Amino acid sequence: MEQQQDYSQYTTTTFFSDEQFIRHVLNGDETTAAYWDLIAKQYPEKMAVMEEARVWILMINKQPAYQPAADRSALWSKINSEISAYEYNQQRYYRPLKIAAKWAGSIAATLLLFIIIREWAAQGERSYSTDFGKHEQIVLPDESVITLNGNSGISYSRTWRSDKPREIWLQGEAFFEVKHVAIRNRLQQSDSFHVHVSDLELTVLGTRFNVKNRRNMTEISLLEGRLRIEKTGKGAFVKTLKPGDAFIYDSTKQQLKDLERKPQVNKAWTNNEMDLDGYTLQEILNVLEDTYGYEITLKTPQLAQRRLTGTIPATNAEDILFVLKKVFNLKIDQKGNHLIISQN
């Protein structure tokens, strides 16, 4: 065994990146087990983070290594087509621009400077956003897929470096299908995927989950894999989710608690459906405001806590309003985007 070192400042991430700890978890023997038992006794406050790091290491080791979607011949064909496109652009655009620059002088120089500035700016942040009532699917550079719900947006760096974690910033609601990129027996912090939402940081590996951030509330629902929720600063906490877990975080009260609705309910929107289990009428009206852009006045407040069950189509807002009108016997007066709802 290597000489014992100071583990007093170690966190889950530090143990997760420690080569000696990784070897112990994956290929440990009696000697290494005795060593880490000793560390656990000397640093009892570290037992929880050691266990969390161990779970992550085993999870990565069990997942298949990432393989590109295309085979070698397809990749080579793609490279050839990109080379041809580059040569075409050289012949069609760039070389004539150089010739024109000799004749146009300062005008051509200004145009060239504009192109350079535009290309340089493109190396920075990339963002996507959706209008009310619209969905959009985005394929990230690592082949992870994000589906944005209406009135939502993400941003990320255009150039993801292989030596740093992948990071996304989210506003609104999105469903994530994160690609696993870790190579078996090679565990690095850069293999992780981070989602920044409200004042939380979500750390994931290969997994599928839904995140909804509306009205100072963040709902997190995990379908597959592992997900780590972390908040730093005031009210700091760390929570590791397993498949089937759903939590809601109130950023005003800085509280995390169980969510009554299950993960499958919270991803129904990706199939243009709305699973009403666990929703009150008021929460459905909030969805119509936040996702579809309506302004709603409920003239019969005693209906707000009424509940429905079942799944309804939600291709557009009219589908949802039709069901509400029939089930609750509502009168809905519409003036532009303003809905006035009352009991018939």
Side-chain angles (χ1 to χ4, degrees):
M1 288 296 299
E2 300 177 14
Q3 184 177 359
Q4 182 177 329
Q5 56 182 325
D6 181 12
Y7 293 94
S8 60
Q9 303 301 315
Y10 265 43
T11 64
T12 301
T13 301
T14 317
F15 279 110
F16 178 73
S17 306
D18 187 285
E19 293 291 340
Q20 186 178 352
F21 187 70
I22 293 170
R23 289 196 299 270
H24 159 64
V25 173
L26 297 179
N27 302 299
D29 53 23
E30 293 182 359
T31 303
T32 60
Y35 175 81
W36 288 104
D37 284 344
L38 177 61
I39 298 303
K41 291 177 181 178
Q42 291 182 351
Y43 302 92
E45 73 281 5
K46 300 297 178 184
M47 292 179 66
V49 296
M50 288 172 67
E51 174 60 20
E52 186 177 20
R54 187 187 69 84
V55 169
W56 280 68
I57 290 167
L58 291 175
M59 184 183 69
I60 294 180
N61 190 57
K62 290 179 181 178
Q63 296 194 50
Y66 164 71
Q67 295 291 337
D71 57 24
R72 291 186 178 180
S73 59
L75 288 174
W76 183 246
S77 178
K78 181 181 178 183
I79 291 170
N80 280 333
S81 65
E82 290 179 352
I83 292 174
S84 297
Y86 172 78
E87 291 177 345
Y88 172 79
N89 287 336
Q90 287 288 326
Q91 294 288 341
R92 182 69 177 82
Y93 299 108
Y94 303 134
R95 290 177 185 171
L97 279 176
K98 290 181 180 179
I99 296 172
K102 295 180 181 179
W103 295 94
S106 61
I107 296 177
T110 302
L111 177 61
L112 182 60
L113 179 61
F114 171 77
I115 293 173
I116 292 173
I117 292 174
R118 186 183 63 183
E119 291 299 316
W120 175 80
Q123 299 301 314
E125 183 179 88
R126 185 158 193 172
S127 60
Y128 294 90
S129 61
T130 53
D131 294 330
F132 286 109
K134 302 294 183 182
H135 296 176
E136 182 173 356
Q137 191 172 85
I138 299 106
V139 180
L140 301 176
D142 67 338
E143 298 182 14
S144 294
V145 178
I146 296 177
T147 305
L148 283 179
N149 205 348
N151 186 31
S152 302
I154 61 165
S155 61
Y156 62 91
S157 172
R158 286 176 178 265
T159 54
W160 282 359
R161 293 176 53 182
S162 60
D163 60 337
K164 290 188 175 181
R166 298 160 287 166
E167 294 189 275
I168 292 285
W169 281 260
L170 168 68
Q171 291 183 327
E173 183 170 15
F175 183 72
F176 291 80
E177 297 174 90
V178 177
K179 194 79 172 182
H180 172 61
V181 299
I183 298 175
R184 187 181 294 274
N185 295 330
R186 189 215 69 179
L187 309 178
Q188 299 183 130
Q189 187 178 1
S190 58
D191 294 330
S192 61
F193 187 107
H194 298 271
V195 179
H196 302 274
V197 56
S198 183
D199 53 348
L200 302 178
E201 179 176 311
L202 314 182
T203 303
V204 302
L205 295 167
T207 193
R208 298 169 68 240
F209 61 101
N210 194 81
V211 182
K212 178 180 178 181
N213 176 234
R214 309 281 196 195
R215 302 169 184 256
N216 298 318
M217 307 292 284
T218 302
E219 298 180 8
I220 304 162
S221 308
L222 180 64
L223 281 83
E224 294 179 6
R226 289 272 178 171
L227 180 62
R228 183 175 186 263
I229 308 173
E230 181 176 7
K231 183 188 182 302
T232 58
K234 184 180 179 181
F237 64 83
V238 175
K239 180 73 176 179
T240 301
L241 276 61
K242 61 183 183 298
D245 283 347
F247 286 86
I248 184 168
Y249 172 71
D250 185 335
S251 61
T252 303
K253 299 180 181 179
Q254 298 186 337
Q255 292 180 349
L256 182 73
K257 60 182 181 180
D258 290 332
L259 183 64
E260 291 183 10
R261 294 189 295 276
K262 298 306 179 184
Q264 290 293 346
V265 173
N266 289 337
K267 74 168 288 283
W269 64 267
T270 62
N271 297 319
N272 291 318
E273 296 177 338
M274 188 172 189
D275 192 326
L276 300 175
D277 290 348
Y279 278 92
T280 63
L281 175 61
Q282 184 60 61
E283 288 172 328
I284 297 172
L285 299 182
N286 290 345
V287 170
L288 288 168
E289 288 189 331
D290 298 337
T291 303
Y292 295 93
Y294 286 103
E295 178 187 350
I296 299 177
T297 301
L298 181 60
K299 289 287 191 177
T300 315
Q302 58 266 32
L303 292 175
Q305 298 306 310
R306 293 281 299 277
R307 293 179 183 269
L308 285 174
T309 59
T311 301
I312 63 173
T315 303
N316 51 56
E318 286 72 22
D319 292 340
I320 303 173
L321 289 169
F322 177 81
V323 173
L324 297 182
K325 184 176 181 179
K326 295 298 182 182
V327 171
F328 290 112
N329 191 27
L330 300 178
K331 178 183 178 183
I332 302 177
D333 295 322
Q334 182 169 358
K335 298 179 181 179
N337 277 347
H338 186 200
L339 304 179
I340 302 173
I341 300 177
S342 57
Q343 187 85 61
N344 252 335

